[in-house]
């Protein structure tokens, strides 16, 4: 009798197993979240932008009174003023290294003025030299290193500037001699640039421009009175350099939209 009862209980347990399993909730399988790649800023491609800032120049003048055969050094003067313009360029990026070419043009208002040390008007007042840098251009190559959307770079190449210089009569204030020249020199600089949005970046840049001395001879109608006599022709040798700090904004036409 006991054996029959135990066998019946076993059969009931076997029969109840599938029913109990059917009552258990089904196992839910979830998909692993997708891995989102970290955006990488792309510095390669064409870009165009604008810049504005401040420049200060140092100008030196040496004068040769040709008809009197002596040389006078008028000395050096420094002054500053605003600059504003634009730039266009192209960059290549190889891993973290960035290489580029750029052309930049700026309007400038850099003016120097000082009284002559030895040129005087017929009234006995010292004449005045005035020079002004009206515009400048930079044509440079770049090498930089990028930390994603932050780029530090150095640049160097050729620089050109348009200068106007005038010698004013100390008595009348009228111009005695005037010349306008476009002169070439060299430039080096460095900057740091930050990509703040797809296709857009801002930068802060420093540039140093220098120019070798330039010499020109001019006839002086009516002559200029000097302690040594009357000057009827002047040869002016000028030397100048320029320091410039600008804030820049660029738009990038690269294939990946900046990021």
């Amino acid at each position: 009798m006991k054996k029959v009862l135990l066998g019946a209980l076993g059969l009931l347990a076997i029969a109840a197993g599938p029913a109990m399993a059917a009552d258990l909730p089904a196992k839910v399988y979830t998909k692993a979240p997708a891995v989102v790649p970290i955006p990488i800023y792309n510095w390669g491609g064409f870009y165009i932008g604008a810049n504005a800032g401040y420049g200060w120049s140092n100008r030196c003048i040496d004068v040769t009174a040709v008809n009197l055969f002596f040389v006078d050094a008028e000395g050096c003067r420094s002054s500053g003023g605003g600059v504003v313009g634009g730039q266009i360029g192209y960059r290549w990026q190889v891993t973290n290294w960035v290489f580029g070419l750029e052309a930049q043009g700026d309007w400038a208002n850099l003016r120097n003025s000082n009284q002559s040390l030895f040129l005087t008007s017929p009234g006995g007042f010292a004449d005045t030299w005035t020079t002004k840098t009206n515009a400048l251009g930079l044509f440079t190559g770049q090498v930089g290193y990028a930390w994603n959307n932050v780029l530090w770079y150095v640049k160097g190449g050729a620089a050109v500037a348009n200068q106007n210089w005038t010698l004013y009569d100390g008595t009348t204030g009228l111009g005695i001699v005037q010349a306008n020249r476009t002169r070439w020199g060299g430039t080096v600089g460095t900057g740091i640039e930050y990509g703040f949005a797809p296709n857009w970046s801002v930068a802060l840049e420093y540039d140093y421009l220098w120019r070798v001395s330039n010499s020109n001879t001019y006839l002086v109608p009516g002559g200029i009175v000097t302690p040594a006599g009357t000057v009827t022709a002047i040869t002016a040798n000028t030397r100048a350099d320029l320091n410039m700090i600008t804030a820049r904004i660029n738009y990038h036409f690269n294939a990946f939209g900046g990021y």
Side-chain angles (χ1 to χ4, degrees):
M1 188 67 182
K2 290 182 178 180
K3 291 182 178 180
V4 173
L5 182 58
L6 291 174
L9 291 175
L11 290 174
L12 287 174
I14 293 172
M20 293 177 64
D23 292 336
L24 293 175
K27 184 180 289 186
V28 178
Y29 293 92
T30 57
K31 187 178 180 180
V35 178
V36 179
I38 299 174
I40 301 298
Y41 199 86
N42 174 31
W43 291 100
F46 285 100
Y47 64 92
I48 189 170
N51 70 80
Y54 187 82
W56 59 99
S57 65
N58 184 60
R59 178 267 292 151
C60 303
I61 297 179
D62 297 329
V63 176
T64 301
V66 177
N67 57 310
L68 297 177
F69 299 103
F70 65 85
V71 177
D72 171 74
E74 296 283 21
C76 302
R77 295 292 185 276
S78 296
S79 68
V83 296
V84 62
Q87 64 275 346
I88 185 170
Y90 186 85
R91 286 171 173 156
W92 301 264
Q93 183 166 354
V94 182
T95 62
N96 293 85
W97 293 97
V98 179
F99 307 90
L101 297 172
E102 183 182 272
Q104 174 179 337
D106 284 79
W107 167 87
N109 184 26
L110 308 177
R111 185 183 180 92
N112 276 297
S113 181
N114 66 284
Q115 288 188 331
S116 173
L117 299 177
F118 94 114
L119 298 175
T120 59
S121 68
F125 298 97
D127 295 334
T128 299
W129 289 103
T130 299
T131 61
K132 182 180 179 181
T133 301
N134 303 302
L136 54 91
L138 283 69
F139 304 91
T140 56
Q142 297 181 359
V143 178
Y145 190 86
W147 294 268
N148 195 4
N149 62 328
V150 177
L151 172 67
W152 171 72
Y153 60 89
V154 294
K155 60 190 294 187
V160 61
N162 177 266
Q163 279 190 324
N164 182 288
W165 66 272
T166 306
L167 179 64
Y168 289 96
D169 186 284
T171 301
T172 65
L174 300 176
I176 303 170
V177 174
Q178 186 176 41
N180 185 281
R181 293 290 183 270
T182 298
R183 297 169 177 174
W184 287 86
T187 181
V188 292
T190 184
I192 187 163
E193 192 164 351
Y194 173 72
F196 65 92
N199 300 89
W200 289 97
S201 67
V202 291
L204 185 66
E205 182 175 297
Y206 165 77
D207 297 290
Y208 173 71
L209 292 71
W210 72 91
R211 179 180 56 78
V212 296
S213 63
N214 184 274
S215 179
N216 291 281
T217 300
Y218 306 94
L219 298 177
V220 184
I224 301 176
V225 177
T226 74
T230 301
V231 177
T232 58
I234 291 178
T235 297
N237 300 283
T238 61
R239 306 182 305 278
D241 58 20
L242 170 67
N243 295 272
M244 184 170 64
I245 295 178
T246 54
R248 298 153 60 97
I249 185 168
N250 289 321
Y251 181 82
H252 301 262
F253 299 91
N254 49 31
F256 300 99
Y259 282 98

